[in-house]
Amino acid sequence: MQGSTPTPLKSSASQGLTGRLRVPGDKSISHRSLMLGAIAVGETRASGLLEGGDVVDTAKAMQALGAKVERTDDGVWHVQGVGVSGLMSPKGDLNFGNSGTGVRLALGLMASTPLSARCIGDASLSRRPMGRVIVPLSEFGARFETAEGGRLPLTLHGARNAVPITYKLPVASAQVKSAVLLAGLNTPGRTTVIEPVATRDHTERMLKAFGADITIDHREDGRHIMITGQRELKAQVIDVPADPSSAAFPMVAALITEGSDITIENVMLNETRTGLITTLIEMGGDITVENKRLAGGEEVGDLRIRSSRLKGIRVPAERAPSMIDEYPALAVAASFAQGVTHMEGLDELRVKESDRLAAVEAGLQANGVATRSGPDWLEVTGGAVAGGGLVATHLDHRIAMSFLVMGIASAKDVRVDDGAMIATSFPNFIALMNGLGCRMAPAS
Ligand code: S3P
């Protein structure tokens, strides 16, 4: 994606959306399938993997570290792991493109193995803070050389004799939690992460499935996750469910477009990820879960969504970790709701693929939506949306998709300056949305 030419896109007022669709596989589970597969013993097979830029970059990184990664024509990804201590120094740079998850988890994976690797990324990733993983990974004994401010490009030198650590998370971040747990895998003794606020728990669930020695205690100061290292992992067969963070876009699109009735199939409903569904239902959204079932250790279901008259609500700060990637889509839904939607606990939005709080607010205002904001909160006054604005996406896929959704129910077209990054997480976004009846197209 780095250096690719911008792709301006626009969306126009659309009629009722209808149909059944499947959005791509969950991004978090896809990254973890490749990484755990890379250090397991035997062949891990993953189907339904997200084949977006972010995950493909992780696949290439795992290959460069010594794992064999192959996709067969049936869409299954095969990963031959090298064992928990088997990763090797890559020959060239590891390029993580646009992906914070890719680089931060990989740093954890490499930190307790004596290898050296230089990590790079695109302009967006190179602006994002890496100190949050460098601090705990240095305690294991890893060393880092970074660009100014602890940013990419950075070179990691993994620890030769890693020592286990106990680390209390200073930010509610599944990426930091996961980096520490992954570093614990090749470290003798017991590594503990204390998580005061629960974040997505895919790493813990998947580590358990791969046979890691992991236990979780719920205590007064939060979840204590303990991992005892240097036990080999067993390769797994993984069926990746659909990504609730990608489902957010058709979900909001159907709610705000009159006469809509769509079904999104096989969406993961892990409760650390369903904050947006809870919030939209509280706003009056007609969303029902059908065919709830267990698949590969995760609860999944089909979501039926019908257009609804939404009303503004207060979204509590405690809910933020369970919908951290969904605020841009929620802000669009709030723009069409009657009254004021107040969202708080948004400090982490400042360090995503863009400063999402600023990017969302600027995009809303460019389309005639009234907003107020503070360092970690955003308030949106909804109603009819004028549209007609040009939105700056700052290399952020979710900003691009959210505002394209806005345009299908606005009075005038909404344009985004660049939709190229959509391919990092949702390669067939435009085709799927247009298949439901949306009018999204290239803009001049
Ligand atoms: C992710 C964790 C979240 C999320 C990101 C994916 C993960 O980041 O924003 O898209 O897979 O662990 P933080 O944990 O930093 O909030």
Coordinates of all heavy atoms in Angstrom, one line a residue, residues 30 39 44 73 77 97 105 135 153 168 175 178 260 265 275 283-284 300-301 310 319 331 340 346 376 382 403 411:
S30 N -7.3 -13.4 12.3 CA -6.5 -13.7 11.1 C -5.0 -13.5 11.4 O -4.1 -14.4 11.2 CB -6.9 -12.9 9.9 OG -8.2 -13.2 9.5
I39 N 4.7 -20.4 15.0 CA 5.6 -21.0 16.0 C 5.1 -22.3 16.6 O 5.6 -22.8 17.6 CB 5.9 -20.0 17.2 CG1 4.5 -19.5 17.7 CG2 6.7 -18.8 16.7 CD1 4.7 -18.8 19.1
T44 N -0.7 -25.6 10.6 CA -1.9 -25.0 11.0 C -2.6 -24.6 9.7 O -2.0 -24.2 8.7 CB -1.6 -23.7 11.8 OG1 -1.2 -24.0 13.1 CG2 -2.9 -22.8 11.9
D73 N -5.6 -23.2 -3.6 CA -6.7 -22.6 -4.4 C -8.0 -22.7 -3.8 O -9.0 -22.0 -4.1 CB -6.7 -23.4 -5.8 CG -5.5 -23.1 -6.6 OD1 -4.9 -22.1 -6.3 OD2 -5.3 -23.8 -7.6
W77 N -5.3 -21.3 4.1 CA -3.9 -20.9 4.3 C -3.2 -22.0 5.2 O -3.8 -22.4 6.2 CB -3.9 -19.6 5.0 CG -4.2 -18.4 4.1 CD1 -5.5 -18.1 3.6 CD2 -3.3 -17.4 3.6 NE1 -5.4 -17.0 2.8 CE2 -4.1 -16.6 2.8 CE3 -2.0 -17.2 3.7 CZ2 -3.6 -15.5 2.1 CZ3 -1.4 -16.1 3.0 CH2 -2.2 -15.2 2.2
G97 N 3.3 -2.5 6.7 CA 2.3 -1.7 6.0 C 1.6 -0.7 6.9 O 2.2 0.1 7.5
L105 N 2.2 -7.1 17.6 CA 2.2 -8.5 18.0 C 3.4 -9.2 17.6 O 4.0 -10.1 18.3 CB 0.9 -9.2 17.5 CG -0.3 -9.3 18.4 CD1 -0.8 -7.9 18.8 CD2 -1.5 -10.0 17.8
V135 N 8.3 -0.8 26.1 CA 8.6 -0.8 27.6 C 8.5 -2.2 28.2 O 9.5 -2.7 28.7 CB 7.6 0.2 28.3 CG1 7.7 0.0 29.8 CG2 8.0 1.6 27.9
P153 N 10.9 3.6 11.6 CA 11.5 2.2 11.6 C 12.2 1.9 12.9 O 12.8 2.8 13.5 CB 12.5 2.3 10.4 CG 12.3 3.6 9.7 CD 11.6 4.5 10.6
K168 N 1.4 -4.8 34.5 CA 0.1 -4.3 34.6 C -0.2 -3.3 33.5 O 0.6 -2.3 33.3 CB -0.1 -3.6 36.0 CG -1.5 -3.1 36.2 CD -1.7 -2.7 37.7 CE -3.1 -2.3 37.9 NZ -3.4 -2.2 39.3
Q175 N -3.5 -5.1 22.0 CA -2.2 -5.3 21.3 C -1.1 -5.4 22.3 O -0.2 -6.3 22.2 CB -2.0 -4.2 20.3 CG -3.0 -4.2 19.2 CD -2.8 -3.0 18.3 OE1 -1.9 -2.2 18.5 NE2 -3.6 -2.9 17.2
S178 N -1.3 -8.7 24.2 CA -0.9 -9.8 23.4 C 0.6 -9.9 23.1 O 1.2 -10.9 23.1 CB -1.6 -9.7 22.0 OG -3.0 -9.7 22.2
S260 N -34.7 -0.6 4.3 CA -33.6 -1.6 4.2 C -34.0 -2.9 5.1 O -34.6 -2.7 6.1 CB -32.3 -1.1 4.7 OG -31.9 0.0 3.9
E265 N -24.1 -12.6 7.5 CA -24.0 -14.0 8.0 C -22.7 -14.3 8.8 O -21.6 -13.7 8.5 CB -24.0 -15.0 6.8 CG -25.3 -15.0 6.1 CD -25.3 -15.8 4.8 OE1 -24.2 -16.2 4.4 OE2 -26.4 -16.1 4.3
G275 N -19.7 -4.2 21.4 CA -20.2 -2.9 22.0 C -21.1 -2.1 21.0 O -22.1 -1.5 21.4
M283 N -30.0 2.7 20.7 CA -30.4 3.9 20.0 C -31.7 3.6 19.2 O -32.2 4.5 18.5 CB -29.3 4.3 19.0 CG -28.0 4.8 19.6 SD -26.6 5.0 18.5 CE -27.1 6.5 17.7
G284 N -32.2 2.4 19.3 CA -33.5 2.1 18.6 C -33.3 1.3 17.4 O -34.2 1.1 16.6
V300 N -20.9 -17.2 17.2 CA -21.2 -16.5 15.9 C -22.7 -16.5 15.7 O -23.5 -17.3 16.3 CB -20.5 -17.1 14.7 CG1 -19.0 -17.1 14.9 CG2 -21.1 -18.5 14.4
G301 N -23.2 -15.6 14.8 CA -24.6 -15.6 14.5 C -24.8 -14.8 13.2 O -23.9 -14.1 12.7
L310 N -33.4 6.2 14.6 CA -32.4 6.1 15.7 C -32.6 7.4 16.6 O -33.0 8.4 16.1 CB -31.0 6.0 15.2 CG -30.7 4.8 14.3 CD1 -29.2 4.9 13.8 CD2 -30.8 3.5 15.1
R319 N -17.6 1.1 27.8 CA -17.9 0.3 26.7 C -16.8 0.4 25.6 O -16.8 -0.4 24.6 CB -19.3 0.7 26.1 CG -19.9 -0.4 25.3 CD -21.3 0.0 24.8 NE -22.3 -0.1 25.9 CZ -23.5 0.5 25.8 NH1 -23.8 1.1 24.8 NH2 -24.3 0.4 26.8
A331 N -20.4 7.2 14.8 CA -20.6 8.7 14.7 C -21.4 8.9 13.4 O -22.2 9.9 13.4 CB -19.2 9.3 14.5
V340 N -28.9 14.1 20.6 CA -27.5 14.2 20.8 C -26.9 12.8 21.2 O -27.5 12.2 22.1 CB -27.2 15.2 21.9 CG1 -25.7 15.2 22.3 CG2 -27.6 16.6 21.5
L346 N -12.6 8.0 24.8 CA -12.1 7.9 23.5 C -10.6 8.2 23.3 O -10.2 8.4 22.2 CB -12.9 8.7 22.5 CG -14.4 8.6 22.5 CD1 -15.0 9.4 21.4 CD2 -14.9 7.2 22.4
D376 N -11.0 13.5 25.0 CA -11.4 12.0 24.9 C -12.9 11.9 24.8 O -13.4 10.8 25.2 CB -10.9 11.3 26.1 CG -11.5 11.7 27.4 OD1 -12.2 12.8 27.4 OD2 -11.4 11.0 28.5
G382 N -27.6 14.9 15.8 CA -28.1 14.2 14.6 C -29.3 14.8 14.0 O -29.9 15.8 14.5
F403 N -17.4 7.2 6.0 CA -18.0 8.4 5.3 C -18.7 8.0 4.0 O -19.6 8.6 3.5 CB -17.0 9.5 5.2 CG -16.9 10.2 6.5 CD1 -15.9 9.9 7.4 CD2 -17.8 11.2 6.9 CE1 -15.8 10.6 8.7 CE2 -17.8 11.8 8.1 CZ -16.8 11.5 9.0
A411 N -28.2 14.1 1.8 CA -28.9 14.8 0.7 C -28.0 15.0 -0.5 O -28.4 14.7 -1.6 CB -29.3 16.2 1.2

